[in-house]
Amino acid sequence: MGGLISVIATSLFHQTNAKPYLTSCVPIPLPSTNHTTLEPSAMENKELFIVGDVHGCYDEMLELLEDAKKSTTKKLTVVFVGDLVNKGPKNKEVLDYVMSSEAYSVRGNHDEAVVYQCLSHKNDTDYEIPARYEWIKELSEENISYLQELPYTITIPSHNVIVVHAGLLPGTPLEKQKLKDMVLMRNIINRDHFEGGPYATSSSGGRPWVMHWAGKEQIYFGHDAIRGLQRSEYATGLDTGCVYGFCLTGVFVNQKGEVERMLKVKAKMAYKQV
């Protein structure tokens, strides 16, 4: 996979000493690169399949990927929109599978939260892991390193696509996007230019950021299970609440960046209350 990836320089945010930074209210190290690009060679004779928030729903993920494989004669390039883990029943199994496959994923806020809990537990023997994170004791060092290295965005030029967990602020280059926005934002609140211009928020104020995104790239994201499947001209939200008992969604994306077809797998049960 390494030969297929080129890295956008991110020295503005990244320091080689991996000093902690603050995104979703937790201090954790930065990944080696914040923004990754899949070169066209990674997509040769393959279909792009983008998957919504898994949240540890391993059985549903396997079923969805199997359905996707059966529906095409080509090999798949699978990209996850983040939040691979937490809340669901089989988090380590999800990580082990994704790590052993040729799939890609961006970083989600729950992935960050898990890294924080793991590093806190490792660095402080007196640290008490919250009950809802007890499962992290199953994780290997490789699992933790993998989560820590997930990038904030994956750009796929051959398909005119950017994958991000939560969203992007329109009109702002990737390297100037705020880290916390990319894992937490849901809405944009408009503000006069002289007051600093529009800004992103994770709260209910403002309007969904997808209503402000006018291209040119097609954005695929997750994070917003309350709104469920979101479709606008240039953005598609794929968090359809599998962990809450709804479904796990994946889409085949053509070279224009458009959804060619969509697959869904019903959750086996509600693992968590909304």
Side-chain angles (χ1 to χ4, degrees):
M1 179 164 60
L4 299 176
I5 299 178
S6 71
V7 172
I8 300 175
T10 54
S11 58
L12 179 64
F13 298 117
H14 180 65
Q15 299 181 34
T16 54
N17 291 331
K19 294 180 180 179
Y21 72 104
L22 200 66
T23 58
S24 50
C25 302
V26 295
I28 61 172
L30 289 163
S32 298
T33 178
N34 292 331
H35 306 290
T36 294
T37 298
L38 294 190
E39 298 294 352
S41 57
M43 297 304 307
E44 285 182 5
N45 300 314
K46 293 182 179 179
E47 287 214 61
L48 176 59
F49 190 65
I50 303 177
V51 181
D53 302 41
V54 176
H55 278 296
C57 297
Y58 176 72
D59 296 333
E60 292 86 346
M61 179 191 73
L62 288 188
E63 185 178 341
L64 180 67
L65 294 178
E66 188 61 30
D67 288 349
K69 290 174 185 176
K70 289 177 180 177
S71 69
T72 180
T73 58
K74 295 182 179 180
K75 289 186 176 180
L76 298 178
T77 293
V78 178
V79 181
F80 293 90
V81 301
D83 278 3
L84 292 171
V85 295
N86 213 21
K87 296 187 177 183
K90 297 182 179 180
N91 298 290
K92 179 170 172 55
E93 289 89 338
V94 167
L95 278 180
D96 288 342
Y97 177 89
V98 176
M99 290 171 62
S100 66
S101 71
E102 296 181 349
Y104 302 86
S105 181
V106 295
R107 172 188 289 219
N109 58 306
H110 282 276
D111 306 318
E112 287 198 332
V114 168
V115 172
Y116 171 73
Q117 293 296 332
C118 289
L119 295 183
S120 297
H121 177 59
K122 178 180 179 181
N123 297 329
D124 182 359
T125 55
D126 293 327
Y127 180 78
E128 293 188 14
I129 301 172
R132 67 183 183 277
Y133 288 105
E134 277 292 321
W135 65 267
I136 69 170
K137 294 178 181 178
E138 305 171 3
L139 298 180
S140 66
E141 289 291 334
E142 291 77 15
N143 292 147
I144 300 167
S145 295
Y146 178 80
L147 286 174
Q148 186 174 309
E149 285 300 313
L150 292 177
Y152 286 91
T153 68
I154 296 176
T155 299
I156 310 171
S158 60
H159 287 61
N160 191 39
V161 160
I162 299 175
V163 180
V164 65
H165 178 61
L168 297 172
L169 189 65
T172 302
L174 280 183
E175 63 272 14
K176 292 185 178 181
Q177 296 278 341
K178 294 180 179 179
L179 301 181
K180 66 181 180 65
D181 289 348
M182 290 184 282
V183 295
L184 288 176
M185 71 181 291
R186 290 187 176 93
N187 293 354
I188 288 178
I189 295 178
N190 275 324
R191 199 167 49 176
D192 187 270
H193 172 75
F194 297 102
E195 295 177 341
Y199 67 97
T201 174
S202 60
S203 71
S204 58
R207 303 169 67 202
W209 72 268
V210 297
M211 298 177 69
H212 297 265
W213 187 265
K216 301 178 182 176
E217 298 90 351
Q218 291 279 349
I219 310 300
Y220 287 85
F221 67 101
H223 185 60
D224 202 345
I226 297 297
R227 289 184 175 128
L229 182 67
Q230 297 182 66
R231 302 288 300 273
S232 69
E233 186 175 2
Y234 293 104
T236 301
L238 294 173
D239 187 353
T240 48
C242 185
V243 76
Y244 302 116
F246 299 106
C247 63
L248 183 63
T249 300
V251 290
F252 285 94
V253 178
N254 64 29
Q255 291 187 331
K256 295 180 180 179
E258 301 164 341
V259 174
E260 194 165 83
R261 60 191 186 280
M262 182 179 298
L263 299 178
K264 293 184 179 183
V265 166
K266 184 76 176 67
K268 309 297 181 187
M269 60 177 289
Y271 304 102
K272 196 80 174 176
Q273 295 300 311
V274 178

